[in-house]
Amino acid sequence: MVSFWEVKDRAGQTIAIHQRKDRPDGGKDMAWRRPSGELGLNGTRLESLPLYGAHRLAAEWPEPQPLVLTEGEKACDALVAAGVPAVASVTGASSTPSAESLGDLAGRFVILWPDNDEAGRAHMLRIAERLSGSAVVGWLDWSDAPEKGDAADFLAHHEAADVRELLKSATDVPDDISGTTPSAESAVSAVSTLSAHTAHHLSAHTALSAQRQWPEPPGRQAFLGLAGRVVEAVDGYTEADPVAVLATFLAAFGSLVGSGPHALVGADRHGANLFLALVGKSAKARKGASWTPVRELFRQVDLDWTAQRVIGGLGSGEGVVHCVRDRVERLEGKKDGDFEVVVVDPGEDDKRALVLAPELAAVLRVMARQGSTLSAVLRDAWDRGDLRITTRNAPIRATGAHVSVIAHVTEEELRRELTDTETVNGFGNRFLWLAVRRSKELPEPEPFRGAELDRLAAEVLEAALATANLRAELTRTDAARELWRAEYPQLSAERSGLAGALTDRGEPQVLRLSLVYALADRSPAIDVPHLEAALELWRYAERSTTYLFGDSLGDPVADRILGFLRVQGPQAREALRELFGRHVASGRLDHALLALAERGLVEVRREATGGRPRELWRIPEQSAKSALS
């Protein structure tokens, strides 16, 4: 078997390819190739190569969470697949990564996991020496490791949870690495004598992780009327989170009713189309399970809509427009000199489209490509429904499109792919981001069918038919208008950071949700219960984004400074510049520090030196206490 690993620089550009060929006798042959595939590194020294996986550090694993460093790529991949942040040395045990290669680990808490042999431990000890003073370094010994055993061997016989438990036994870097792996008893003893410095950072990480409590679920107001009855009816048939079922139903119903019913904010028209993103801890969050019973329900209601207007995938902007494209005609001359209208493309008469995107992370990667039209098309689809693609030989357009989206993504993928406020402002704030998880264990769930399904389908059909030909604006009742005025200051309040950017369209999102609740209730106006339901679900969306992104600013420089200060304590400005290898301009550093200071996340103390005052940046004392309390 032949395996390949790509070693990439900070920008994600492949620098080298490491090849491993397993021999029948159990041995292995290793080789290096250039990105072109040619053998050799063309004079590049192994020590100068980046760490394997280092290009993912800033986006995937925000400081201050611990990071494991392994000796080889295979062990690193095994840890990452188990959800454990990891990078790898690529030099082999006989050499050591350069200080520059290890520079990306500055300010982090790094746990070294050596291969279980003397060469492997000596290799990691040299790395520890080079990291001294720039990172907090811990050491991991697996007491039952086989000879040369590594993280991949551990995970071949253990679960991901066992790895996380093992990481808690990290100790200080040993002074003497001779001999065999310590026994379980000596490992326990080592933990008890863990240095105060390393113990502090383990405690800090535990406290910071604990702060990310799962968001409090929405109250009963969100499960209003027909939507609530659907959630209650399907609860015994699915492991999905009730919030996921609720939001999926609202998005599907809003798509089914079409673009006729709407609400106005000034001259801006808002339809019942929603963009929904369900974010789970992992693939086991049962995000997809929320669609299954809703799909069965809507099959009973409108089979044609379910079969023809539910679209799979978000591969490109062109693909979205094509689903709702206009009819194209042109005049062509006839032999007798007259003209006739020729239909070039019949288009789509039905402008409704419910787009399912079960792999939102892949969609985000598509949008990051140069020349991608997907983000712009989705913005237009949410904003006004008039779409066009002009970057092709045969431009296509769609007018009056009613596009809804249900997307799924894991927490890790979302944090990796959605990292800057520019992306969020251009795309993310059109979505309702809801944290979801498995609600229960149903080893053999029954299919959702029978009398209860028929009854609910009849209710949904009645509500849909009541709005089928409705082209009118729905307005708020006087009582709802009074509640809206009371809630408006909080809805429109400015919030900073990634979480704030994701939720800065609170007013139109709540308006759309209240419209869908009213339509499902067959109400001619948006009343207080509809607005209260919308507000309750929106507040859960706000709590979800806070849970997902915390105080991340969406500025990679500012976020790295914040993590560095949390791990290393107060630092002079010069040390902060060194954190980036002096590759960040002074003005850029000033901007990041100002953004952090304005949010109260850092503070500066100026010390007299007899010349220019020395700046010392630190986490405010109150914030540090609350993080560790």
Side-chain angles (χ1 to χ4, degrees), residues 52-66:
Y52 175 70
H55 66 284
R56 299 179 300 193
L57 285 172
E60 294 189 36
W61 303 309
E63 298 126 325
Q65 65 176 312

Side-chain angles (χ1 to χ4, degrees), residues 162-332:
D162 299 323
V163 177
R164 298 187 185 93
E165 194 63 30
L166 182 64
L167 291 177
K168 295 178 183 178
S169 69
T171 69
D172 281 343
V173 177
D175 294 326
D176 182 8
I177 53 109
S178 60
T180 58
T181 304
S183 65
E185 292 76 11
S186 64
V188 171
S189 175
V191 172
S192 66
T193 59
L194 189 65
S195 77
H197 187 52
T198 305
H200 163 77
H201 294 292
L202 279 167
S203 301
H205 170 67
T206 302
L208 288 165
S209 298
Q211 285 185 319
R212 293 186 64 250
Q213 296 294 328
W214 188 261
E216 182 183 352
R220 292 194 59 82
Q221 301 99 310
F223 299 88
L224 175 71
L226 176 58
R229 291 193 291 276
V230 168
V231 175
E232 184 178 8
V234 307
D235 187 59
Y237 299 91
T238 178
E239 295 181 330
D241 194 317
V243 173
V245 177
L246 170 68
T248 298
F249 171 81
L250 292 173
F253 185 81
S255 174
L256 180 69
V257 302
S259 60
H262 60 277
L264 291 176
V265 177
D268 294 332
R269 187 182 192 277
H270 290 274
N273 57 315
L274 303 174
F275 284 14
L276 168 67
L278 301 179
V279 187
K281 277 183 173 293
S282 68
K284 293 190 176 182
R286 299 301 188 263
K287 303 177 293 296
S290 60
W291 168 242
T292 304
V294 173
R295 179 193 61 207
E296 294 306 308
L297 175 62
F298 280 85
R299 275 181 178 167
Q300 290 273 97
V301 174
D302 190 335
L303 182 59
D304 287 341
W305 175 84
T306 309
Q308 304 296 327
R309 306 317 304 157
V310 177
I311 313 298
L314 275 172
S316 66
E318 290 84 351
V320 174
V321 180
H322 183 80
C323 295
V324 288
R325 69 194 184 281
D326 290 345
R327 178 185 178 93
V328 178
E329 299 175 343
R330 71 174 177 226
L331 282 176
E332 286 191 357

Side-chain angles (χ1 to χ4, degrees), residues 5 15 38 66 77 111 134 290 315 326 380 397 499 583 619 621:
W5 291 279
I15 300 299
E38 298 172 85
D77 283 348
I111 298 177
S134 66
S290 60
D326 290 345
D380 289 342
R397 66 177 297 176
H583 297 305
I619 303 296
E621 186 175 343

Side-chain angles (χ1 to χ4, degrees), residues 329-350:
E329 299 175 343
R330 71 174 177 226
L331 282 176
E332 286 191 357
K334 299 169 63 178
K335 290 182 180 180
D336 60 6
D338 203 355
F339 291 87
E340 65 177 346
V341 176
V342 176
V343 177
V344 178
D345 184 345
E348 289 287 351
D349 293 331
D350 193 337

Side-chain angles (χ1 to χ4, degrees), residues 344-367:
V344 178
D345 184 345
E348 289 287 351
D349 293 331
D350 193 337
K351 297 294 185 175
R352 299 173 299 172
L354 174 60
V355 182
L356 302 181
E359 298 293 340
L360 182 58
V363 175
L364 292 169
R365 287 193 290 272
V366 168
M367 290 193 300

